[in-house]
Amino acid sequence: MTTVGILGGGQLARMLALSGAPLGLRFLVMDSAADACAGQFAPMVVGDYRDTAALAEFASRIDVATFDFENVPSESAQWLSERVPVFPSPRALATAQDRLAEKTLFVELGIPVPPFAAIASREDLDAALARIGTPAILKTRRLGYDGKGQFRIRSSEDAGAAWTALGAQATTVGLILEGFVAFQRELSVVAMRGRDGEFRAWPLTENWHVDGVLSASLAPAMADAALVETAHGHARKLADALDYVGVFALELFCRDGVLLANELAPRVHNSGHWTIEGAETSQFENHLRAVLGLPLGATRVLGHACMLNWIGSMPDANAVLREAGGHWHDYGKDPRKGRKVGHATLRADSPDQLAEALRRVGEALGRGEQVAPVIERLRG
Ligand code: AMP
């Protein structure tokens, strides 16, 4: 019996554990919160990632370790990797944790990125703003997620406010300034690389964010074959360069047909949740197959799928369950403002049928705004 250890016990760990049950796998989750929602399906070690005694107990009970959370301290990942196999490797994790290291790697690999600069002082910020121009975004290099740790600079007069908001973090997690991309679309590639180097990717996904948090995903994205090939090429280069093992997501901005890389998420990703019902093999099962060295599953899509995130609280399930291709995921979390508490996936055989299902669900739940951009894209 193989036990997979997962650092982080949120909904990603929960969906990994659910997808691993048919494979006969056992799981052990480590999280500092005793009520982490993966704990409803898997035994837990409750402890801080820096607590060596807790990590040692975790290591002693598992065969292989992976992550639901990318901000695990790299020293903890390293410590663990000296005791059990850890995938993705601590090196890949460390690169993806740092926006500056990851953007530098993108550039080295010839993957286009928005203009960026490392910021260590207020003088650096002024100089970078003079070079990059406005609008721009000041971001923390580490520990930012879902739009947190970011300040939008609309004109150079905002520089002082940006520095007041984030300047203190220049010497702790570090800062990076990025040019603001006036993109037409946000896309992501969810892909995987096996222990033997085999690479596979799902088709491109189009994503819509509200206040920096994912709101809806459509797959396959309405994109021509050349764009998909370019995106997959970027993902493959990255995975090879990092000797990556497991599933990851590469987030991209699309402006005038050009793809610019935003960030690499070294784990299963919210923009891949649609693969549970919308693809031959889900990102969760394939991540487990990759880290265990099993044959990778097919990434073929089954029609057209849209995932809607539920943020803050769960709406009424019936509107989705009533749909022929409607699937409901409640993460078993307490409602809280801004918290991802669940999602729904609608699947259909044609773009038109998917648009109709979305219209019905949006209307029944009073969420017309959430579904509108997806319907518009589907009706092209
Ligand atoms: P991130 O945490 O970097 O994924 O940012 C969250 C969201 O903020 C992205 O999905 C975009 O919608 C927006 N965003 C981040 N960086 C940029 C940028 N350089 N230009 C335009 N929008 C951005």
Side-chain angles (χ1 to χ4, degrees):
M1 185 68 79
T2 303
T3 302
V4 178
I6 308 176
L7 288 165
Q11 66 270 18
L12 302 179
R14 178 180 167 113
M15 289 185 271
L16 281 168
L18 289 169
S19 76
L23 296 174
L25 300 173
R26 302 222 169 171
F27 292 86
L28 181 68
V29 169
M30 180 164 172
D31 199 295
S32 54
D35 65 349
C37 73
Q40 295 163 19
F41 290 96
M44 277 186 76
V45 170
V46 179
D48 189 275
Y49 303 123
R50 293 184 195 276
D51 174 351
T52 330
L55 269 184
E57 189 206 335
F58 180 68
S60 72
R61 293 168 58 190
I62 60 176
D63 299 296
V64 60
T66 189
F67 308 91
D68 124 306
F69 178 65
E70 73 240 53
N71 291 321
V72 168
S74 49
E75 315 81 70
S76 308
Q78 185 59 42
W79 190 93
L80 201 59
S81 73
E82 286 153 20
R83 286 147 185 94
V84 284
V86 175
F87 299 111
S89 70
R91 181 176 77 92
L93 188 74
T95 304
Q97 279 175 345
D98 180 351
R99 290 184 191 273
L100 184 64
E102 125 191 309
K103 288 230 162 48
T104 305
L105 177 64
F106 293 158
V107 172
E108 274 169 29
L109 297 175
I111 301 172
V113 291
F116 66 92
I119 305 293
S121 64
R122 176 66 207 267
E123 291 69 45
D124 284 356
L125 178 60
D126 291 336
L129 279 171
R131 178 170 70 81
I132 291 172
T134 54
I137 307 191
L138 185 64
K139 299 181 177 179
T140 56
R141 275 172 59 179
R142 295 190 191 77
L143 302 178
Y145 66 99
D146 284 349
K148 294 185 178 65
Q150 303 192 1
F151 193 99
R152 294 201 181 188
I153 300 178
R154 279 164 235 284
S155 71
S156 50
E157 278 111 69
D158 293 344
W163 193 252
T164 305
L166 296 177
Q169 297 187 63
T171 48
T172 55
V173 291
L175 297 175
I176 182 172
L177 184 77
E178 294 177 17
F180 187 85
V181 181
F183 54 79
Q184 287 94 23
R185 301 205 280 166
E186 286 195 75
L187 301 164
S188 60
V189 191
V190 182
M192 83 206 92
R193 189 168 173 278
R195 284 201 196 185
D196 60 357
E198 184 184 354
F199 173 88
R200 290 189 184 199
W202 285 269
L204 273 181
T205 302
E206 178 165 2
N207 303 306
W208 288 267
H209 293 81
V210 175
D211 298 331
V213 183
L214 186 66
S215 168
S217 293
L218 171 68
M222 305 286 170
D224 59 44
L227 197 75
V228 178
E229 199 181 314
T230 302
H232 283 173
H234 293 341
R236 181 191 289 254
K237 266 197 234 167
L238 266 175
D240 286 342
L242 292 169
D243 195 16
Y244 194 93
V245 174
V247 166
F248 65 97
L250 174 62
E251 297 179 17
L252 301 157
F253 300 126
C254 185
R255 185 184 57 194
D256 304 331
V258 177
L259 294 172
L260 300 171
N262 176 32
E263 67 172 342
L264 167 70
R267 51 172 170 74
V268 287
H269 192 252
N270 200 166
S271 72
H273 289 0
W274 64 269
T275 59
I276 297 175
E277 295 89 6
E280 185 72 43
T281 317
S282 79
Q283 63 165 347
F284 300 101
E285 178 173 338
N286 259 337
H287 181 67
L288 295 170
R289 291 195 194 198
V291 304
L292 292 167
L294 299 170
L296 303 179
T299 52
R300 187 171 69 91
V301 287
L302 311 172
H304 300 263
C306 174
M307 190 261 352
L308 299 171
N309 254 355
W310 306 137
I311 316 270
S313 63
M314 295 297 292
D316 177 30
N318 290 311
V320 169
L321 296 178
R322 220 181 274 137
E323 293 292 330
H327 303 275
W328 194 250
H329 296 263
D330 182 330
Y331 305 151
K333 291 178 168 181
D334 290 332
R336 191 195 300 157
K337 191 171 179 295
R339 194 178 207 196
K340 290 177 178 172
V341 289
H343 76 266
T345 296
L346 294 170
R347 210 198 58 74
D349 293 333
S350 72
D352 273 349
Q353 285 169 3
L354 183 57
E356 265 311 294
L358 282 166
R359 191 192 55 74
R360 286 190 297 268
V361 167
E363 198 172 284
L365 296 179
R367 289 179 184 254
E369 267 180 42
Q370 190 174 4
V371 299
V374 191
I375 295 176
E376 191 186 321
R377 183 72 74 233
L378 286 164
R379 299 223 157 116

